[in-house]
């Protein structure tokens, strides 16, 4: 019997952490409603409801952005806190993606494909949230100082999103190298 390679075991643990963090980030954005449109599952249900019941039931509903603003007593503070938390989680995910992409040892191509898919899913969620919070900034009644602080928080989110995109690209390069026989 041979013992498991500790380097490969660590890399696989990092892969599991990457996939879990990506799923949590995507769920956070979807469950919090941080998207200007309905998520795909809700949009499909709404369309099916309109087909079966007829008419357009969404006429009286507030937009997700307006609903977010109305739901918070201090929308500026809530939004900046949410954006900062999302940026931090996105940075952490980007670090995990880079760690997996640069891990020593052999990683299965199928596992790398799941890592890429998880990272890309989270990246899409972050981009939806970035657009959502940009719309919140545009619609909220902000002072000049609040607008500057909100812009700064959104800029930090954009930087985190760029880092995650680089991490996803690094995973794709690692998979290509594994396919090409250049790296395990």
């Amino acid at each position: 019997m041979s013992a498991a390679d500790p380097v490969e075991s660590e890399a696989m643990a990092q892969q599991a952490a990457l996939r879990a963090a990506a799923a949590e980030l995507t769920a956070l954005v979807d469950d919090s409603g941080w998207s200007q449109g309905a998520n795909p599952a809700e949009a499909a249900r709404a369309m099916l409801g309109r087909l079966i019941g007829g008419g357009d039931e969404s006429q009286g509903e507030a937009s997700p952005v307006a609903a977010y603003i109305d739901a918070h007593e201090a929308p500026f503070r809530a939004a900046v806190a949410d954006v900062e938390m999302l940026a931090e989680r996105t940075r952490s995910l980007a670090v995990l993606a880079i760690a997996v992409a640069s891990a020593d040892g052999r990683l299965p191509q199928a596992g790398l494909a799941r890592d890429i898919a998880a990272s890309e899913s989270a990246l899409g969620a972050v981009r939806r949230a970035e657009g959502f919070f940009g719309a919140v900034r545009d619609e909220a009644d902000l002072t000049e100082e609040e607008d500057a602080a909100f812009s700064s928080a959104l800029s930090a989110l954009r930087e985190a999103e760029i880092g995650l995109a680089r991490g996803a690209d690094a995973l794709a390069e690692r998979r290509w190298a594994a396919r090409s026989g250049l790296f395990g």
Side-chain angles (χ1 to χ4, degrees), residues 27-122:
L28 171 68
V29 171
D30 291 342
D31 294 346
S32 299
W34 295 341
S35 180
Q36 289 178 304
N39 72 36
E42 289 177 21
R45 272 193 297 272
M47 185 177 81
L48 185 60
R50 285 191 301 273
L51 288 173
I52 292 172
D56 185 11
E57 297 172 7
S58 64
Q59 288 175 335
E61 295 178 15
S63 75
V65 172
Y68 180 89
I69 292 170
D70 292 342
H72 294 91
E73 189 173 307
F76 161 73
R77 279 182 277 184
V80 169
D82 287 340
V83 169
E84 288 173 345
M85 181 264 303
L86 183 60
E88 180 57 36
R89 292 182 76 167
T90 303
R91 279 190 292 277
S92 297
L93 184 58
V95 167
L96 276 171
I98 295 294
V100 169
S102 60
D104 291 333
R106 185 171 184 80
L107 294 175
Q109 289 182 39
L112 287 169
R114 287 192 300 275
D115 298 338
I116 294 165
S119 297
E120 291 289 341
S121 177

Side-chain angles (χ1 to χ4, degrees), residues 1-5:
M1 291 183 104
S2 65
D5 183 358

Side-chain angles (χ1 to χ4, degrees), residues 138-161:
D138 293 343
E139 288 188 29
D141 186 24
L142 304 175
T143 66
E144 199 171 305
E145 295 82 24
E146 289 174 338
D147 189 59
F150 207 147
S151 293
S152 177
L154 284 173
S155 181
L157 180 59
R158 267 185 231 103
E159 289 175 19
E161 178 251 323

